[in-house]
Amino acid sequence: MDWKKIHSILFVPAEKKRLDKIKDLTADAYIIDLEDAIKDSEKDLARKEVRLFLDEAKDRNILLRINPMELEKETEMFGDSMSVNCIVIPKVESVEILQTVRAAFPGRDTS
């Protein structure tokens, strides 16, 4: 992803009805929020919906906002998806968290 060409970024909660709207939007990039935009009780379903969306969204710049405390689940679901250009980590409390996320998602930007 060429950051110099990114002028508009849209935050999108990881819900099917919101993800479906991306098809009709023209932002330069989309941050799909799996962190605090989704209730804990709905995160497993949201992960599945995001995975289905990513399989069809190969022409979009997708950033995935995750909770590093749920890294094992996030890696299992998205680690092999090259449709994710960047991993967004809120509230990084240590360099070790960033290093762990980078190792879990090789070849992606982490911010």
Side-chain angles (χ1 to χ4, degrees):
M1 184 163 55
D2 184 355
W3 287 102
K4 293 179 182 178
K5 294 182 180 179
I6 303 296
H7 302 287
S8 60
I9 300 175
L10 180 65
F11 270 83
V12 181
E15 300 171 328
K16 183 174 179 6
K17 65 181 179 180
R18 305 290 177 104
L19 294 170
D20 286 344
K21 290 182 179 183
I22 291 176
K23 297 171 189 171
D24 299 322
L25 300 173
T26 59
D28 295 321
Y30 303 88
I31 297 176
I32 299 177
D33 192 351
L34 268 168
E35 209 259 338
D36 58 2
I38 302 297
K39 295 178 187 175
D40 288 341
S41 62
E42 298 173 4
K43 284 195 180 187
D44 286 338
L45 176 61
R47 284 183 189 96
K48 291 175 186 173
E49 296 293 345
V50 170
R51 183 57 198 229
L52 290 173
F53 171 79
L54 291 174
D55 289 343
E56 299 174 3
K58 298 188 184 336
D59 62 335
R60 304 285 184 153
N61 290 315
I62 303 294
L63 295 81
L64 188 61
R65 185 174 189 243
I66 66 169
N67 182 339
M69 297 305 153
E70 297 180 9
L71 186 59
E72 185 174 321
K73 290 181 182 180
E74 312 298 14
T75 305
E76 181 179 312
M77 187 62 75
F78 307 111
D80 65 343
S81 176
M82 292 312 289
S83 295
V84 176
N85 300 98
C86 180
I87 304 300
V88 180
I89 305 136
K91 305 170 223 137
V92 174
E93 297 177 11
S94 71
V95 70
E96 289 80 17
I97 290 174
L98 189 55
Q99 291 169 338
T100 301
V101 171
R102 280 186 175 155
F105 291 94
R108 270 41 143 283
D109 288 337
T110 51
S111 60

